[in-house]
Amino acid sequence: MNEQLERLNRLPLRDDLRGQTPYGAPQLEVPVLLNVNENTHGLPQEVADAIAGSVRQAVAGLNRYPDREFTELRERLASYLGHGLSVENIWAGNGSNEVLQHILQAFGGPGRTAMSFPPTYSMYPLLANGTGTEYIAGHRAADFTLSVSSAADQVREAKPNIVLLCTPNNPTGTALGLDVVEAVYEAGSASNAVVIVDEAYAEFSHAGTPSALSLLPGRERLIVSRTMSKAFALAGARLGYMAAAPEVTDALRLVRLPYHLSAVTQATANAALAHAPALLANVEDIKAQRDRIVSELTELGLQPAESDANFVLFGGLENPRKTWQGLLDAGVLIRDVGIPGHLRVTAGTEAETTAFLTRLRELLSA
């Protein structure tokens, strides 16, 4: 036990937080960063200029609190999502993690449970633990898929208060059919479960992949979560959002901190949404690089999972840690997500993808 941990344990920390480690991936300065599913394309200059102008205007009023209801932002988000949504259906936070935290604060807590299906987003159990919600780990098939019958049976048996469905799923990239979402929602009726469909990577899905947004009408316990960190290339701005029945947004007002979205954050997001087509112009290129990774890894004899996201999980590695280190030694950082025999790589620019594939090919042939 190191000295820092000893000092931490001397504090009157909550018992359920003792021994826990914070969420985080290695932050290293290397030429090619492909480990945290960022959009590695820079902001178009026209968008950067628009954001700078919008923030400059907001700065003049920083002596005043921001719009607590972030009305303009909610209007723009509703317009972007479509599906007949209005400002009353929209909520936002400092990244989708804060939105999820609001949901767990409102519908979870001591004596309640939240369920998801690992391997999935590693923040889910941390968010549950941080809100005093018991976490239930379901399971997926060996190929990381989740069938209608399996998902529904697991929910009926566990009777959770909250279900988190990540699609496309992180870290596997696999997408869920709407039939799975519908089945989970119905199976959760007995426990009055809130069902969250986390669509952080939705814009990268293959053409024709439907969104759970289409399922919202008539389902007051269904929530669809999104983010501007990925497709919009705004990870540094921290803006996540969700769509749900108006009564859900009313519930989240009970737990949010006052004025939780700063004027600068709102100005940045509003300017970005006003230039959505320019920001989303790189999405097709990223999808092409993702599909290129899947194709070339298959040719190398590895086992990439089918991906609808901006990353690829691949298996078939005898020594993932050695491969990870070999890539890092060449200036390419990818992610070890803790799945035996697997690593995950973000689809970057064409040059970044080439650097990754070239070095990986060298390592496998050595």
Side-chain angles (χ1 to χ4, degrees), residues 8 41 154 176 210 262:
L8 175 61
H41 294 70
Q154 291 182 68
L176 292 177
S262 76

Side-chain angles (χ1 to χ4, degrees), residues 37 115-125 135 138-146 164-177 180 196-205 209 230 290 305-314 337 339 344-345:
N37 302 340
M115 181 179 193
S116 65
F117 300 88
T120 191
Y121 186 31
S122 58
M123 271 300 298
Y124 295 155
Y135 178 71
H139 58 83
R140 294 171 177 266
D143 62 354
F144 308 121
T145 57
L146 186 62
L164 295 123
L165 299 173
C166 190
T167 180
N169 185 48
N170 179 13
T172 65
T174 46
L176 292 177
V180 177
I196 306 165
V197 183
D198 184 350
E199 292 187 344
Y201 300 93
E203 286 91 347
F204 301 106
S205 295
T209 302
K230 309 301 181 183
R290 172 202 64 202
E306 287 298 321
S307 177
D308 273 87
N310 70 332
F311 57 85
V312 177
L313 179 78
F314 59 100
V337 294
I339 300 176
R344 189 193 70 193
V345 60

Side-chain angles (χ1 to χ4, degrees), residues 3-353:
E3 183 180 350
Q4 184 178 3
L5 184 56
E6 288 178 351
R7 291 199 303 269
L8 175 61
N9 283 334
R10 286 199 295 268
L11 292 174
L13 193 66
R14 280 170 31 194
D15 289 340
D16 59 329
L17 293 181
R18 293 190 183 280
Q20 299 292 323
T21 55
Y23 174 85
Q27 290 185 304
L28 305 174
E29 292 296 327
V30 297
V32 182
L33 294 168
L34 301 176
N35 67 323
V36 289
N37 302 340
E38 296 162 318
N39 184 333
T40 66
H41 294 70
L43 291 179
Q45 191 58 50
E46 64 175 292
V47 181
D49 292 342
I51 290 174
S54 182
V55 170
R56 190 175 300 112
Q57 290 182 339
V59 167
L62 288 184
N63 58 310
R64 302 291 187 181
Y65 286 116
D67 175 10
R68 185 177 59 215
E69 291 298 305
F70 44 97
T71 306
E72 179 185 352
L73 176 56
R74 288 160 60 218
E75 289 172 345
R76 289 185 180 275
L77 288 169
S79 177
Y80 168 69
L81 291 177
H83 291 273
L85 297 167
S86 69
V87 64
E88 288 79 15
N89 298 112
I90 305 299
W91 189 251
N94 292 284
S96 58
N97 285 326
E98 184 177 53
V99 173
L100 295 176
Q101 183 181 58
H102 285 167
I103 297 169
L104 266 73
Q105 285 175 314
F107 300 107
R112 297 193 175 192
T113 58
M115 181 179 193
S116 65
F117 300 88
T120 191
Y121 186 31
S122 58
M123 271 300 298
Y124 295 155
L126 296 180
L127 287 166
N129 195 40
T131 56
T133 309
E134 181 185 349
Y135 178 71
I136 300 173
H139 58 83
R140 294 171 177 266
D143 62 354
F144 308 121
T145 57
L146 186 62
S147 70
V148 168
S149 58
S150 175
D153 288 347
Q154 291 182 68
V155 169
R156 274 191 291 267
E157 180 178 353
K159 297 181 175 59
N161 301 104
I162 299 169
V163 182
L164 295 123
L165 299 173
C166 190
T167 180
N169 185 48
N170 179 13
T172 65
T174 46
L176 292 177
L178 294 189
D179 52 351
V180 177
V181 178
E182 292 176 298
V184 166
Y185 188 87
E186 292 306 314
S189 297
S191 56
N192 206 26
V194 169
V195 178
I196 306 165
V197 183
D198 184 350
E199 292 187 344
Y201 300 93
E203 286 91 347
F204 301 106
S205 295
H206 287 90
T209 302
S211 166
L213 291 168
S214 64
L215 299 179
L216 286 173
R219 293 181 173 88
E220 70 282 353
R221 294 181 287 106
L222 183 64
I223 301 172
V224 180
S225 171
R226 293 282 189 97
T227 183
M228 294 184 73
S229 292
K230 309 301 181 183
F232 278 86
L234 287 177
R238 311 308 303 129
L239 197 291
Y241 58 101
M242 49 137 269
E247 54 267 37
V248 173
T249 63
D250 286 340
L252 302 193
R253 287 181 174 88
L254 301 176
V255 298
R256 60 100 178 263
L257 295 174
Y259 311 103
H260 71 288
L261 282 181
S262 76
V264 172
T265 298
Q266 293 183 45
T268 299
N270 282 325
L273 286 162
H275 294 78
L279 275 172
L280 296 174
N282 289 318
V283 167
E284 290 305 314
D285 181 60
I286 294 168
K287 290 165 66 174
Q289 295 307 314
R290 172 202 64 202
D291 294 342
R292 174 191 172 196
I293 291 171
V294 170
S295 176
E296 295 199 24
L297 291 185
T298 301
E299 292 175 2
L300 289 172
L302 298 175
Q303 300 156 12
E306 287 298 321
S307 177
D308 273 87
N310 70 332
F311 57 85
V312 177
L313 179 78
F314 59 100
L317 296 167
E318 292 184 9
N319 192 332
R321 189 66 188 179
K322 184 178 180 180
T323 302
W324 180 89
Q325 187 63 56
L327 287 163
L328 180 60
D329 292 342
V332 179
L333 179 62
I334 67 171
R335 187 77 175 266
D336 183 347
V337 294
I339 300 176
H342 289 73
L343 293 171
R344 189 193 70 193
V345 60
T346 303
T349 63
E350 182 177 4
E352 290 170 330
T353 301

